[in-house]
Amino acid sequence: MQTLQITKNDVGVARVEMARPEVFNAFDEQMIGELAQAFADLGQDSAVRVVVLCGRGKAFSAGADLQWMQRASQATEEWNLEDARRFAAMLDAIAACPKPTIARVHGVALGGGVGLACACDMAVASSDARFAASEARFGILPAVISPYLVNAVGKRHALRLALTASRIDAQAALQMGLVQQVVEADELDAAVNAVVAELLANGPNALAEIKTLFRQLEVGPVTAGMRELTARTISRVRGTDEAREGFAAFLEKRPAAWNRS
């Protein structure tokens, strides 16, 4: 791949590094396609347990490449529709990845870069990170990333970020749920590694089942259909080999077979 650097270690951690530091890892059509392919492939790789998304250089991601956006502004609506669909499919590939995903955020996450962080299951940021849904400054809107932003921070916070296009610091991002942890820059890798260790201590099938179930849940009344979905899910998963090993390991006071922490 030309815009990404992908590495895997021997305990099942894949690192997807956006590698366009000269433009602060802004993404264009090529990076969008490569990100979609990378997360689809890693999701199907049985040796991969966790995926970390990060950026090379001074920033996580400055969002959309402005040259790409300029091309889009001069193209037809039909061209823009297909282009936006590819962007939406890329974010879905990240969110739907059956492996837990962590955004390692430093520097800035702007526009679509915020979308990348929100599409991951969790985000850990350095204290110097800055965030903005900045699209309105260019006369457009954060449309494709908006479902992920709303899911992460709630509608009112998301609306304020989108309407003002204001840049917020890491602590404000933490308070609204855009990220789950903020640490000093020199502690960022250690903090990400600590989250990875927690994930590796859990059953990989259980984590995939959690992601599948939670994608179907909405905030609101617990309906009969939702009760049935959760009951059927747990009844099926309780009978798996992984569950039997998990219960046995706990009763025998030993690590489970999958525990790599």
Side-chain angles (χ1 to χ4, degrees), residues 51-89:
V51 183
V52 177
L53 177 63
C54 57
R56 181 178 298 177
K58 296 181 179 180
F60 176 68
S61 174
D65 185 295
L66 290 182
Q67 292 186 358
W68 169 43
M69 287 292 94
Q70 187 175 41
R71 291 195 297 275
S73 70
Q74 298 168 353
T76 64
E77 185 174 345
E78 290 75 14
W79 184 96
N80 271 285
L81 179 57
E82 290 306 311
D83 189 65
R85 284 172 172 165
R86 286 190 290 270
F87 181 26

Side-chain angles (χ1 to χ4, degrees), residues 94-107:
I94 295 174
C97 179
K99 313 300 169 69
T101 56
I102 306 168
R104 176 197 180 278
V105 184
H106 74 294

Side-chain angles (χ1 to χ4, degrees), residues 1 17 23 34 39 49 51 57 64 66 69 76 84 88 100 103 122 147-148 163 166 176 181 191 206 212 258 260:
M1 292 188 174
E17 183 180 54
V23 290
E34 291 185 359
F39 276 86
R49 296 275 304 277
V51 183
L66 290 182
M69 287 292 94
T76 64
M122 56 202 85
Y148 304 94
L163 290 173
S166 58
M176 67 176 61
Q181 186 177 3
T212 298
W258 61 75
R260 300 179 183 178

Side-chain angles (χ1 to χ4, degrees), residues 156-237:
R156 203 166 192 199
H157 281 310
L159 189 60
R160 179 175 73 86
L161 290 173
L163 290 173
T164 65
S166 58
R167 193 170 294 198
I168 63 171
D169 63 21
Q171 284 300 323
L174 177 67
Q175 291 170 5
M176 67 176 61
L178 183 53
V179 302
Q180 285 70 53
Q181 186 177 3
V182 174
V183 297
E184 295 302 315
D186 60 357
E187 300 172 354
L188 184 55
D189 285 325
V192 171
N193 290 340
V195 177
V196 167
E198 290 180 331
L199 294 168
L200 293 177
N202 300 329
N205 181 65
L207 297 182
E209 290 282 359
I210 288 168
K211 293 198 62 172
T212 298
L213 176 62
F214 276 49
R215 275 175 63 84
Q216 300 174 74
L217 303 181
E218 296 180 0
V219 176
V222 180
T223 64
M226 195 58 64
R227 294 196 302 272
E228 182 67 12
L229 171 65
T230 58
R232 287 183 177 276
T233 299
I234 190 59
S235 64
R236 172 174 50 79
V237 173

